[in-house]
Amino acid sequence: MATIHIKPLHGADGYLRWKESVLLRLHTVGVAHVLSDEPPADGAQEAKKWARDDALCRGHILAALSDRLLPVYVRHGTGRALWRAVARTYEPDSFYWELKFEELEFHNDDDETLLERVARAEALAVAASSSPVVSDESVAYKVCTKLPDLAKDAVMHGDWKTMDGVWESAQAMERVRNIMQARLVRQEREDMVCHDQQLEQRHVRKKRR
């Protein structure tokens, strides 16, 4: 079975993609369970299989570390210990994401649709929550604080207290924007055709003279 190519982790940049890629590989080869399950208490055969899976898991994680990081983490003897050690170093906590959310700003000249902005704001709002159970209403409120025009539309025409309501408003606003943009493009084309026709008519009249 071909394994998934993973760019070796070299530092904090790219950790999230690295983490998800490594997890996908571990699940693909069937050894991800050692990261969460406890070793078998009884049975020589089960213990042997666990040891093999754990060694394979640890090896895959080490293979996905850069030459700079390998000596730092190779001392960890199990897949779970190794995985947790890397996470302790690079896994962002809720305070990090809270800061990222506070720094989040959108500008009119950004090459980003409203729906993309909602998705980004929602992701940061959820990550910034320190509670294990994230309130949908609190996320919707935070998203609306970053997108005041969307908040106004949600309050006037929809439900601003849930993310479903916020998304419905955002999708409606995006549809209106797309329709207006399409009309503008069509009008510009019609104006160009009209202009070309006028030039052609002038040219014909000059020839007749």
Side-chain angles (χ1 to χ4, degrees), residues 155-168:
V155 170
M156 292 176 62
H157 305 108
D159 177 13
W160 60 273
K161 291 186 177 182
T162 68
M163 278 309 302
D164 282 344
V166 171
W167 272 108
E168 287 177 6

Side-chain angles (χ1 to χ4, degrees), residues 51-71:
R52 175 193 172 280
D53 288 353
D54 185 59
L56 191 58
C57 175
R58 177 176 176 272
H60 276 293
I61 298 172
L62 289 175
L65 298 176
S66 69
D67 292 341
R68 182 179 74 87
L69 295 185
L70 180 61

Side-chain angles (χ1 to χ4, degrees), residues 7-19 64-70 72-73 86-87 89-92 96:
K7 182 180 179 181
L9 181 67
H10 190 67
D13 290 342
Y15 169 74
L16 180 59
R17 181 179 295 279
W18 177 89
K19 171 187 172 183
L65 298 176
S66 69
D67 292 341
R68 182 179 74 87
L69 295 185
L70 180 61
V72 178
Y73 296 101
V86 176
T89 308
Y90 298 113
E91 186 77 45
Y96 169 87

Side-chain angles (χ1 to χ4, degrees), residues 21 32 53 63-64 134 141 160 163 167 171 179 186-187 195:
S21 298
D53 288 353
V134 183
Y141 172 78
W160 60 273
M163 278 309 302
W167 272 108
Q171 289 167 339
I179 291 172
R186 185 165 58 249
Q187 185 62 50
H195 179 69

Side-chain angles (χ1 to χ4, degrees), residues 11 25 31 62-63 70 76 95 108 146-147 186 201:
R25 174 184 287 182
V31 297
L62 289 175
L70 180 61
H76 297 282
F95 296 105
N108 292 333
K146 293 296 182 179
L147 297 163
R186 185 165 58 249
Q201 290 172 358

Side-chain angles (χ1 to χ4, degrees), residues 22-187:
V22 171
L23 282 175
L24 177 58
R25 174 184 287 182
L26 297 179
H27 280 289
T28 300
V29 298
V31 297
H33 66 95
V34 302
L35 298 179
S36 55
D37 296 345
E38 295 298 327
D42 301 315
Q45 194 66 25
E46 290 79 3
K48 184 177 180 180
K49 181 183 182 303
W50 176 274
R52 175 193 172 280
D53 288 353
D54 185 59
L56 191 58
C57 175
R58 177 176 176 272
H60 276 293
I61 298 172
L62 289 175
L65 298 176
S66 69
D67 292 341
R68 182 179 74 87
L69 295 185
L70 180 61
V72 178
Y73 296 101
V74 71
R75 65 186 178 86
H76 297 282
T78 66
R80 183 188 298 187
L82 172 60
W83 187 250
R84 288 179 175 177
V86 176
R88 278 197 299 265
T89 308
Y90 298 113
E91 186 77 45
D93 60 16
S94 61
F95 296 105
Y96 169 87
W97 292 117
E98 185 176 355
L99 178 61
K100 286 292 184 182
F101 183 82
E102 292 301 323
E103 293 175 344
L104 180 63
E105 291 183 357
F106 297 111
H107 304 283
N108 292 333
D109 57 348
D110 289 343
D111 186 19
E112 193 173 34
T113 68
L114 175 60
L115 300 182
E116 289 174 330
R117 292 180 176 187
V118 173
R120 189 147 64 98
E122 181 183 17
L124 286 175
V126 172
S129 175
S130 57
S131 173
V133 180
V134 183
S135 166
D136 186 65
E137 184 174 347
S138 68
V139 173
Y141 172 78
K142 287 184 176 181
V143 170
C144 286
T145 63
K146 293 296 182 179
L147 297 163
D149 290 340
L150 173 61
K152 291 177 184 177
D153 185 88
V155 170
M156 292 176 62
H157 305 108
D159 177 13
W160 60 273
K161 291 186 177 182
T162 68
M163 278 309 302
D164 282 344
V166 171
W167 272 108
E168 287 177 6
S169 290
Q171 289 167 339
M173 291 176 67
E174 192 71 3
R175 281 195 296 271
V176 171
R177 189 192 71 83
N178 290 336
I179 291 172
M180 294 178 64
Q181 185 67 24
R183 287 177 178 173
L184 180 61
V185 171
R186 185 165 58 249
Q187 185 62 50

